[in-house]
Amino acid sequence: QVQLVESGGGLVQAGGSLRLSCAASGRTFSSYAMGWFRQAPGKEREFVGATRWRGDLTQYSDSVKGRFTISVDNAKNTVYLQMNSLKPEDTAVYYCASRFGGIDRAAERFASWGQGTQVTVSS
């Protein structure tokens, strides 16, 4: 059974940076894709970015492209979301998710989810 545990959220000022971690266990993830999603109060869950576990293909939403970077540390079985130039509108609970197969932007196509970590960006 896949288990995903996020960490690294917190409070940061606009323009600052945070790095979120997603520790994955329960599978060999080489054939998996990992996604990051976020959900702000009163809004639907939103795609942030996704990568193949091998790291050879990554996609981002237009709202974070150029500011956020996803990376994979195979030795630690951990996926990272480096967030730079943060804006108040980035405030949300951030989730990592996994799916067997290729990248997808639809949350319903990811089978396993972490518990989420809160990111708050103050203006």
Side-chain angles (χ1 to χ4, degrees):
Q1 184 176 355
V2 173
Q3 290 188 325
L4 304 173
V5 179
E6 301 100 333
S7 60
L11 173 64
V12 64
Q13 288 188 333
S17 298
L18 279 176
R19 188 178 76 161
L20 305 184
S21 301
C22 174
S25 61
R27 287 286 187 277
T28 299
F29 288 95
S30 56
S31 297
Y32 277 68
M34 304 298 293
W36 286 97
F37 294 81
R38 66 187 182 186
Q39 189 166 19
K43 295 188 177 181
E44 293 188 354
R45 194 163 295 191
E46 174 190 20
F47 172 79
V48 174
T51 184
R52 295 204 300 198
W53 186 266
R54 291 169 287 178
D56 57 347
L57 180 64
T58 307
Q59 294 181 3
Y60 301 93
S61 68
D62 288 344
S63 61
V64 307
K65 195 177 298 182
R67 300 188 297 122
F68 291 11
T69 304
I70 297 174
S71 61
V72 178
D73 186 330
N74 281 290
K76 295 183 178 180
N77 250 26
T78 299
V79 181
Y80 300 99
L81 179 66
Q82 177 67 44
M83 306 185 294
N84 299 328
S85 302
L86 282 160
K87 305 174 181 180
E89 51 263 44
D90 294 318
T91 295
V93 177
Y94 283 71
Y95 299 89
C96 72
S98 69
R99 67 183 304 271
F100 183 81
I103 285 179
D104 206 293
R105 293 174 175 244
E108 61 268 23
R109 297 196 180 117
F110 284 78
S112 298
W113 292 79
Q115 82 286 355
T117 185
Q118 176 71 46
V119 172
T120 303
V121 184
S122 63
S123 57

